Amino acid sequence: MNLEEVIKTIDNVVFTNTGQHLRDVEAIVLRGTWQAKTYEQIAETCQYSLNYIKQVAAPKLWKLLSEALGENISKTNFRFIIERQWEGHLEKILPSPESVNSLSAANINIDGRQPKGNSDELRSQDWGEVPEINIFYGRTQELAMLNKWLVNDSCQLVAVVGMGGIGKTSLAVQCIQQIHDQFEFVIWRDLRSAPSVSKLVAELTQFLSPQSKNYFREEDIETQISDFIGLLRQHRCLIVLDTTTVIQQNSHVSGHYREGYQTYGKFLRRLGQESHRSCLMWIAREKPREIVLMEGETRPVHSLYLKGLDSQAQEILKDKNLLDRESWEDLIQLYRGNPLALKIVASTIQELFGGKVSAFLKQETIVFGELNDILDEQFECISALEQEILYWLAIECQPISLSQLRADILAPVAQSELIEALESLLRRSLIERTIVQEEVIFSLQQPVVSQYVINQICERICAEIQEFGRNHKIEKIELLRTLVLVKRTQENEAIQEMQVRLILKPIKNQLCKILKDENVISELLTKILSLLQGKTSLVVGYAKSNIESLLLEIKLDLGDLSYR
């Protein structure tokens, strides 16, 4: 019994059971497994990526063989079972002439059909750096919608958007695993290295048409894109671009690109507007402006805004063996079903709280570690006005109207700028909009974002006061001047109590931790008050009120202070 006899015989068994021959990648996996190679070693010897072999091709192959041979077959027991069954009945299943002729490793289609024409017509896949997805939860409706857009509706441009950790990439991987055989070419690219459009298009063109000249000419990008779209007309391709904030504009409203990457907008616009047979899937935290303008019910451009998991999120907690099932729904709602956030917090609950969800919930600390890193990355990309809006929504502790937001913001801001910033935050999935009695109100989208923003306020104000202690420059207290920490009104005492508990007390505690002495803190705050005397109301802003609130919190008698 030699290896080629085994491959041919298994091909015949598969053909008998399914009517299809082994695919090229399946034959490669079988040969490597027989030779006791790891998946990594197998990937090094072929054009298929490690992730595609490990996540897609191999699991499908072992399932197929298990059903065909009536035993649970895996990579570890494949050779043992085949050698045992060989003496039984496998050697009697002689390979047919068709399978012998069609099994050449270089000439088997992705879907197992006999290829026609030259090798350029073969189906091919390049999964690039697609991440390994071991477990996938729910998303039945979202998968069905994506499948419909990509296969039935033949969309040319599809965006999958949502905040960090919500599961955009996992959904895309799962979708492609289900429908990859509907396309001649499937290509996955992670744009974390921030390639220029010219470089990206040159690489994709070379893959789709190896005989083409591998050109890379930034000065002729229009021709490059035109040639590429020509290939998308010839072949049915699915191209997935998993983007990051690297190519997006920092400190700007959503949908813009960094300097040097504006051509991505042109690239998307042409792929959405010009006719072709293929589809580009764009995975991002925010929807590009070009897609916003082109999408529509009857148009070949669509976008899917991904929200958190609902009841399926319990599977994540179940996998982590968490206790207190009656508290699971509270935990899920706290993180709005964000899969990554729940995985992170579930690990913490298991390690620090012995799996007791109720014990974790009592801590009232929901943003830490990797969750901070995820939000830091997203927070750094937003404009100064967007940051200020988030600050005010967190301080208000309740949904507020556009008019209330305008009243809160100290510096004059044009209505158009405010609307643009709110729209940008909505696209970034950081705030949500609801309508109450015909009035539009805005709020932070989830408790995690709210606590993160409050933490940012506390840290920045403490840093400003600490910096003032070093140089005594009143200009350094920018946030202390532009935000009100506690609204001293009689309208809603419950909100005041929340502001004191969530903002004022943490600032006082952090200052005590940094400066070590409440008397030193009082002296610094009193010094700021003295420097504010005689300044205009715009310069003083909310600083006087905030400092008085802090001094009250550390029980300093303000009776002898007079400054107005």
Side-chain angles (χ1 to χ4, degrees):
M1 172 179 51
N2 61 49
L3 177 56
E4 291 309 312
E5 287 177 333
V6 170
I7 299 295
K8 291 175 182 178
T9 301
I10 291 177
D11 176 61
N12 201 42
V13 170
V14 170
F15 185 79
T16 301
N17 282 268
T18 67
Q20 293 184 341
H21 292 290
L22 283 172
R23 297 182 294 134
D24 177 30
V25 65
E26 291 171 336
I28 290 172
V29 171
L30 288 178
R31 287 190 176 92
T33 301
W34 190 267
Q35 296 165 350
K37 292 182 179 179
T38 64
Y39 286 130
E40 288 78 5
Q41 292 170 330
I42 294 173
E44 290 174 358
T45 63
C46 65
Q47 74 273 27
Y48 298 98
S49 70
L50 171 61
N51 282 327
Y52 175 66
I53 289 174
K54 194 172 182 179
Q55 294 181 42
V56 183
K60 184 176 179 180
L61 174 62
W62 304 134
K63 181 180 178 181
L64 178 65
L65 293 184
S66 297
E67 292 173 352
L69 299 178
E71 292 197 49
N72 186 18
I73 295 178
S74 64
K75 186 177 185 294
T76 56
N77 65 13
F78 165 67
R79 181 162 183 167
F80 170 77
I81 290 178
I82 295 302
E83 287 177 339
R84 174 166 53 77
Q85 288 205 11
W86 193 267
E87 299 302 324
H89 65 278
L90 274 181
E91 80 283 4
K92 298 177 184 179
I93 306 176
L94 298 176
S96 65
E98 291 83 0
S99 67
V100 173
N101 293 333
S102 67
L103 196 59
S104 171
N107 293 304
I108 296 177
N109 275 341
I110 193 73
D111 61 356
R113 293 180 293 181
Q114 184 77 15
K116 298 178 181 179
N118 58 41
S119 60
D120 293 332
E121 296 173 333
L122 298 181
R123 293 173 181 261
S124 187
Q125 299 193 22
D126 181 355
W127 285 63
E129 298 179 345
V130 60
E132 186 171 347
I133 308 298
N134 296 319
I135 303 177
F136 184 78
Y137 304 96
R139 303 292 192 197
T140 305
Q141 292 182 347
E142 292 92 337
L143 279 171
M145 185 177 295
L146 282 180
N147 290 353
K148 178 178 180 295
W149 289 347
L150 297 175
V151 178
N152 300 338
D153 299 346
S154 298
C155 283
Q156 297 176 188
L157 186 57
V158 170
V160 179
V161 296
M163 71 180 306
I166 207 69
K168 302 179 295 293
T169 299
S170 298
L171 177 67
V173 171
Q174 187 73 8
C175 174
I176 294 172
Q177 289 176 0
Q178 293 180 0
I179 65 171
H180 64 81
D181 57 354
Q182 301 293 319
F183 296 86
E184 293 178 62
F185 292 91
V186 176
I187 305 173
W188 183 293
R189 285 292 179 271
D190 190 321
L191 301 187
R192 74 183 68 183
S193 61
S196 67
V197 171
S198 182
K199 183 177 180 181
L200 174 67
V201 171
E203 182 181 343
L204 296 176
T205 299
Q206 182 69 17
F207 182 80
L208 296 176
S209 181
Q211 73 274 19
S212 299
K213 183 179 180 181
N214 187 15
Y215 53 86
F216 173 67
R217 43 183 201 269
E218 298 275 3
E219 71 281 0
D220 196 13
I221 187 63
E222 293 287 359
T223 301
Q224 249 190 304
I225 295 176
S226 294
D227 292 344
F228 177 64
I229 292 177
L231 290 173
L232 299 185
R233 294 189 181 110
Q234 295 176 34
H235 305 283
R236 177 91 166 113
C237 310
L238 175 58
I239 299 168
V240 184
L241 299 182
D242 196 351
T243 74
T244 65
T245 54
V246 176
I247 66 172
Q248 295 169 333
Q249 177 70 45
N250 284 337
S251 302
H252 207 298
V253 294
S254 69
H256 291 261
Y257 305 95
R258 291 172 65 103
E259 184 66 32
Y261 293 93
Q262 294 91 339
T263 315
Y264 271 96
K266 182 182 298 183
F267 177 63
L268 292 178
R269 186 166 55 251
R270 291 193 60 182
L271 262 64
Q273 291 177 344
E274 299 182 26
S275 177
H276 55 82
R277 301 168 54 201
S278 303
C279 181
L280 174 74
M281 182 186 292
W282 181 269
I283 305 173
R285 290 184 179 176
E286 57 193 59
K287 193 187 306 183
R289 296 176 65 200
E290 294 74 21
I291 292 180
V292 174
L293 296 174
M294 291 187 293
E295 66 181 332
E297 285 278 337
T298 59
R299 297 180 180 180
V301 180
H302 290 299
S303 64
L304 173 63
Y305 168 61
L306 205 58
K307 297 182 179 180
L309 296 170
D310 42 37
S311 59
Q312 298 96 343
Q314 294 201 12
E315 293 299 317
I316 297 175
L317 310 185
K318 183 178 179 182
D319 288 343
K320 291 293 185 178
N321 297 316
L322 297 190
L323 307 176
D324 304 330
R325 276 183 175 269
E326 65 276 6
S327 300
W328 285 13
E329 191 58 35
D330 292 337
L331 186 67
I332 291 169
Q333 287 303 313
L334 193 59
Y335 291 93
R336 294 297 189 267
N338 185 302
L340 179 57
L342 287 172
K343 289 175 184 176
I344 293 171
V345 74
S347 296
T348 298
I349 292 172
Q350 188 59 258
E351 293 175 8
L352 295 184
F353 300 94
K356 290 187 67 64
V357 175
S358 57
F360 169 77
L361 293 176
K362 291 177 182 177
Q363 307 306 310
E364 296 186 351
T365 299
I366 60 176
V367 182
F368 51 87
E370 192 176 346
L371 292 177
N372 259 322
D373 297 337
I374 294 170
L375 290 167
D376 278 343
E377 189 176 286
Q378 192 155 0
F379 204 72
E380 288 172 2
C381 294
I382 65 178
S383 67
L385 180 55
E386 288 177 83
Q387 285 188 16
E388 188 167 4
I389 290 172
L390 293 181
Y391 290 149
W392 278 111
L393 292 178
I395 288 170
E396 289 286 357
C397 299
Q398 62 183 344
I400 60 173
S401 65
L402 181 60
S403 59
Q404 179 60 56
L405 184 60
R406 278 186 60 82
D408 283 338
I409 296 176
L410 184 65
V413 55
Q415 185 81 348
S416 59
E417 292 179 359
L418 190 58
I419 290 174
E420 185 180 27
L422 286 166
E423 187 177 26
S424 178
L425 289 170
L426 281 168
R427 290 180 190 167
R428 296 185 198 273
S429 309
L430 289 173
I431 67 173
E432 59 185 1
R433 175 200 60 219
T434 54
I435 298 178
V436 177
Q437 297 179 347
E438 299 184 357
E439 184 176 35
V440 179
I441 59 175
F442 300 91
S443 61
L444 295 179
Q445 193 188 57
Q446 49 184 290
V448 172
V449 176
S450 180
Q451 188 178 94
Y452 172 84
V453 173
I454 286 174
N455 291 347
Q456 290 291 308
I457 293 171
C458 296
E459 289 175 9
R460 282 194 56 184
I461 286 181
C462 287
E464 289 179 1
I465 294 173
Q466 190 178 15
E467 179 68 15
F468 175 82
R470 287 192 287 264
N471 54 40
H472 292 85
K473 292 183 178 180
I474 202 69
E475 299 83 8
K476 298 296 183 179
I477 59 167
E478 183 64 22
L479 212 62
L480 195 65
R481 182 182 67 83
T482 56
L483 299 178
V484 62
L485 303 181
V486 180
K487 288 193 170 183
R488 301 293 184 182
T489 66
Q490 300 299 320
E491 296 177 3
N492 198 330
E493 292 185 3
I495 295 296
Q496 285 186 46
E497 291 175 1
M498 288 182 65
Q499 291 169 340
V500 170
R501 178 171 58 87
L502 296 176
I503 304 173
L504 201 62
K505 285 184 179 295
I507 290 176
K508 186 208 72 172
N509 292 338
Q510 285 188 43
L511 286 173
C512 289
K513 184 177 180 180
I514 295 169
L515 301 175
K516 311 297 184 184
D517 189 338
E518 289 186 350
N519 290 327
V520 173
I521 300 171
S522 298
E523 290 173 5
L524 278 177
L525 296 177
T526 304
K527 178 67 175 178
I528 295 174
L529 284 176
S530 66
L531 291 176
L532 289 175
Q533 294 185 48
K535 303 293 184 184
T536 65
S537 59
L538 188 60
V539 171
V540 175
Y542 297 110
K544 177 175 175 290
S545 171
N546 289 332
I547 292 172
E548 288 178 344
S549 294
L550 282 169
L551 288 171
L552 283 171
E553 188 62 31
I554 59 175
K555 297 181 173 58
L556 179 67
D557 184 10
L558 299 177
D560 60 338
L561 293 178
S562 59
Y563 40 82
R564 295 187 184 276

